[in-house]
Amino acid sequence: MSESDIAFTVFIVDDDPAVLGGLGRLLAAAGYPTRAFTSPQEFLSKHDPDLPGCAVFDLAMPEVDGLELQRLLFASGVERPIIFLTGRGDISASVRAMKAGAVDFLTKPVSSEALLEAVARARDLDRKARQHRRETASIEARLARLTAREREVFMHVVAGRLNKQIAGDLGTVEKTIKVHRGRMMSKLGVRTVQDLVRLAERAGIRPQTKPETEEVEG
Amino acid sequence: MVQEMGGSTVPTSMGPHSLRARYHLGWAAGDLRGPILVSVAYFLGAESAFVVGTLSDRIFAPFWPPNVILFAVLLRAPVSRWWLYVVAVVPAHVLAELHIGMQLVPMAVALATNCMVAVLCALAVRQQLEGAPWFGTLRKASLYVIVTALVVPALVAFGGAFVLIHGDAANGNYLFAWTQWLLANSLGFLTLGPIFLTWFGEGWRPWSGLSAARLIEAGAIAIALVVVSGLAFHFAANTVEIGLTPALLYSPLPLVLWAAVRFGERGASAAVLVITIVLLTLALNSSSLFGASQPERNVLALQVFLISLAVPVLLLGASSEEVRRAEAATRESEERMRFAASSANIGLWYFERTTGRVWATVHCRSMLGLPADAPLNRNTIQQMIHPDDREAAIESMRAAAFAGEDVVNEFRIVLPDGQIRWLRARAQADRDKHGVPVRVSGVFIDITGSKQAEHDADLQRRELAHLMRVAVMGELAGAIAHELNQPLTAILSNAEAARLLLAKPSSDLTEVVAAIADIVQESKRAGAVIDHMRGLLKKDARPPESIDLNALIRSTVELLHSELIARRLTIAFDLAADPPPVFGDAVQLQQVLLNLLMNAMDAMAETPPPLRSVRVWTRAEGDHAIQVGVSDHGPGVSTTAERRVFEPFFTTKPHGLGLGLSICSTIIHAHGGRLALVNKSDGGALASFTLPVQRLSVAAE
């Protein structure tokens, strides 16, 4: 798996230097740049959240354990796929980890297939997440350029209202709505209503649907 | 009837007669039986003396038995009844003296002096000889002779002499009368007295206890004595050449000595009595060796001869009796000791240093599995000792034999049938008067049973300790698995990395080499964990070894590494720099440490995480001991628990067995130390133990 476009880095945190070294060497041999940390504190203070990559956490560590580290990381606003390694088959911990969004929960000693597969999945997730974040960011930038009236029209269009209905709702004439709608569509860079709805979905905007419009959408 | 039986406390000599007497006639009639008999005997004694007294007109009686009779009776009677006997002899005395026409005054003096001799002798003998047996030792016999044949008659003779010279001017020699009175009484006390005391002093059947052969022997001596002395003494003095006299006089002596030696004081007194009777009889028939011209001289010679024969023979008899009694006592006590020893399963023995001979009781031989008649010497015993114990056992016996020490040691012996027994030997040296040990005497005690019990208990203790170790390991299984997982993870990762690296067309061999080096190192680490675990799970007893407590503590904590993380606990060390080693079983001591650490960890389950720390310290106590402490920040121990924590099956944990601290305490005790559990002043519990430091001499071995 050659990685040329972006350097996907694996951040490994384990209090056992020998395990840290072994995992690092394996992932490096598989072609991943790695960063190794022997304590959660070191990881939290030194790692670069902007670098694409995933994290491999040992579950049982003194003072701050893996789950705690996951919580601290997410709390600081860093979204990074996490793979947990554990010495014991601790089911409750694995459930908690997965619920909190872990990529995988692997038992030591971990086979390279399982680890590399999990890392590959984490890379996909990371890539998608980053892409999603990028898209959302550009949509949000475009939405920000709309006037208040254009934004109102946008919301109504996304909700599936016809121009005439929108004009009625907003207390104006259909012609004016057409002008606003054209300007809004061009500012957002879409041509069709379908593209507009998809963009709204990506931006996480939920249309305020009304019962009769559902049928239209359907 | 029942009432009468119950009240029967009268002397046994009175027998059933007294019962009847009390019932029908009151006490007096029954009680008078003795005094009346004494009265009769006194009369007969006086009469016999008067018969002998016919030898000389100038001598009242050369031999005076009545006093002895009264004396013998008083000796056996309670003092409170003496007056009865004294009163009883009055009519006998009066009757006998009237018979020879004695006047009232001398008769009264004679009665007074007679009673006085009997009473004084009885008092003195009772006081000095302290009851039956009256003779029995040389000392008692000598005292008897001095008191009854010398001191008392000599004193009373000052009064008695008046009887002889009263109203007879011709016999007015006071000194002569005194001598006569003394000799007559002495002779009585030397011839009849011992008969009463030795033959009837302890019962009325003196021959009981003698076998038929002994009775025949005694009879033969008596007959021979009568015959020999009868023949020897019957020659009239003037018919025998003067040179033959000593030979004749000495001829009965072998028989007399025979009687004294073989039959003790009874034989001696009987022989003396026989000779006395024979001589007196012959003298009365005027055919005696003591037949010179003057009858007074003859009587004196007779008296002196008999007294000088009686005294040494009586003393000889008494001393031979003493020896015999001592022998019997020794035999009896030996018999008792043997019985006690064999009942207690103790074998007695002694070892003669010079000859190498060993004497042993039958029981001792049977303990050794040897027949009662097998020859026994140092070698036979040494060869029986188990080869592993032989050298030490011989060494300790040597210490007893040559250094004269009292020693105790334990060893195994192999019986002829191959059975192995444990013996405890206790030996001491017997020294001669220069303090040189001449022989070693001692006992063997069979301690196989207690050794077996000891061994069983030890085995059980070890089994239990092992079970507890297994239980602790079970509790720690997760943590131990994790300890193994770490190196295994590193090994697997490195191996996979190496494989990936080698699969690449342009392999980076330095990285592969590094991966392999890590694999090697981590394999060793995993091996160490397994070794450690296997050591703790091992059941066999191990030979004691030198142990560095600090290192032992560190390796124990290493074993707990994952458990500490899982429980969010930390351990702080405060270890003495370079402590001297202790001596013992590392696995057992590690078990103790593990147990104390786990207890401390369990105690802090409710403690807030920042405070969850265990402190382990070691401290030198002078140069003879090391103290190890494990303290926690838990709730501590309650006062009731503090008292009982070392009891088996006492636990404060919901699923505890209550054996941990009890076993720890046993282990520490077996190492010569003591385990204690107390509450710290600032909260939490402190478990500590002290172990003696290994001595240099032991370390050198």
Side-chain angles (χ1 to χ4, degrees), chain A residues 11 57 59 73 123 209:
Chain A
F11 300 90
F57 290 166
L59 189 69
L73 189 64
R123 188 176 60 177
T209 52

Side-chain angles (χ1 to χ4, degrees), chain B residues 430-443:
Chain B
D430 300 336
R431 296 152 186 281
D432 65 8
K433 58 178 182 286
H434 305 296
V436 179
V438 283
R439 65 177 206 177
V440 182
S441 60
V443 296

Side-chain angles (χ1 to χ4, degrees), chain B residues 115-442:
Chain B
C115 290
M116 198 183 286
V117 165
V119 168
L120 285 178
C121 283
L123 280 176
V125 167
R126 267 197 179 194
Q127 203 259 319
Q128 289 295 316
L129 274 56
E130 296 161 352
W134 299 106
F135 275 28
T137 68
L138 184 61
R139 183 183 155 273
K140 282 182 157 195
S142 310
L143 276 171
Y144 174 84
V145 168
I146 290 167
V147 167
T148 65
L150 187 65
V151 177
V152 174
L155 286 175
V156 181
F158 288 113
F162 284 111
V163 180
L164 304 184
I165 57 174
H166 181 82
D168 189 350
N171 293 339
N173 189 336
Y174 183 81
L175 187 62
F176 179 75
W178 181 85
T179 312
Q180 270 305 306
W181 206 96
L182 167 64
L183 289 177
N185 274 283
S186 294
L187 199 54
F189 276 100
L190 288 175
T191 53
L192 285 178
I195 295 284
F196 288 129
L197 296 192
T198 64
W199 286 61
F200 307 109
E202 288 169 81
W204 297 103
R205 293 167 66 84
W207 51 86
S208 68
L210 286 182
S211 65
R214 299 273 288 159
L215 283 174
I216 292 168
E217 183 185 351
I221 295 173
I223 293 165
L225 198 56
V226 171
V227 171
V228 169
S229 54
L231 285 174
F233 298 143
H234 95 282
F235 296 105
N238 46 8
T239 62
V240 179
E241 283 178 47
I242 190 77
L244 278 176
T245 316
L248 288 173
L249 283 174
Y250 277 113
S251 57
L253 199 59
L255 291 166
V256 174
L257 295 182
W258 181 4
V261 170
R262 289 281 293 164
F263 294 91
E265 56 203 24
R266 290 177 189 177
S269 58
V272 167
L273 187 67
V274 167
I275 300 239
T276 308
I277 291 169
V278 168
L279 260 178
L280 286 175
T281 312
L282 291 175
L284 285 172
N285 294 329
S286 317
S287 62
S288 160
L289 205 54
F290 302 90
S293 49
Q294 274 191 306
E296 293 75 29
R297 289 283 173 86
N298 290 341
V299 168
L300 189 65
L302 200 64
Q303 285 172 327
V304 171
F305 174 78
L306 285 173
I307 288 172
S308 27
L309 176 74
V311 171
V313 167
L314 284 176
L315 297 185
L316 175 66
S319 73
S320 94
E321 188 79 19
E322 182 171 7
V323 170
R324 200 171 6 253
R325 278 182 201 225
E327 272 174 1
T330 309
R331 217 170 20 245
E332 203 175 302
S333 92
E334 247 173 36
E335 209 47 56
R336 262 202 300 267
M337 191 163 75
R338 269 183 221 193
F339 177 71
S342 58
S343 306
N345 208 4
I346 293 172
L348 308 176
W349 52 267
Y350 70 76
F351 159 62
E352 208 74 64
R353 250 189 77 187
T354 44
T355 60
R357 245 167 21 120
V358 174
W359 170 92
T361 55
V362 175
H363 185 76
C364 184
R365 287 161 180 271
S366 79
M367 277 168 73
L368 300 174
L370 298 173
D373 54 352
L376 211 53
N377 58 35
R378 179 171 29 188
N379 270 347
T380 45
I381 292 193
Q382 283 179 2
Q383 286 311 307
M384 294 192 72
I385 299 175
H386 194 282
D388 293 353
D389 302 346
R390 193 174 294 154
E391 206 174 309
I394 291 174
E395 197 49 55
S396 105
M397 282 299 152
R398 204 162 276 158
F402 292 95
E405 293 166 15
D406 293 355
V407 297
V408 178
N409 66 344
E410 292 174 2
F411 50 81
R412 284 161 294 174
I413 53 162
V414 185
L415 299 190
D417 62 3
Q419 217 189 112
I420 289 178
R421 312 284 301 172
W422 270 98
L423 292 187
R424 176 181 295 139
R426 193 179 278 276
Q428 63 177 24
D430 300 336
R431 296 152 186 281
D432 65 8
K433 58 178 182 286
H434 305 296
V436 179
V438 283
R439 65 177 206 177
V440 182
S441 60

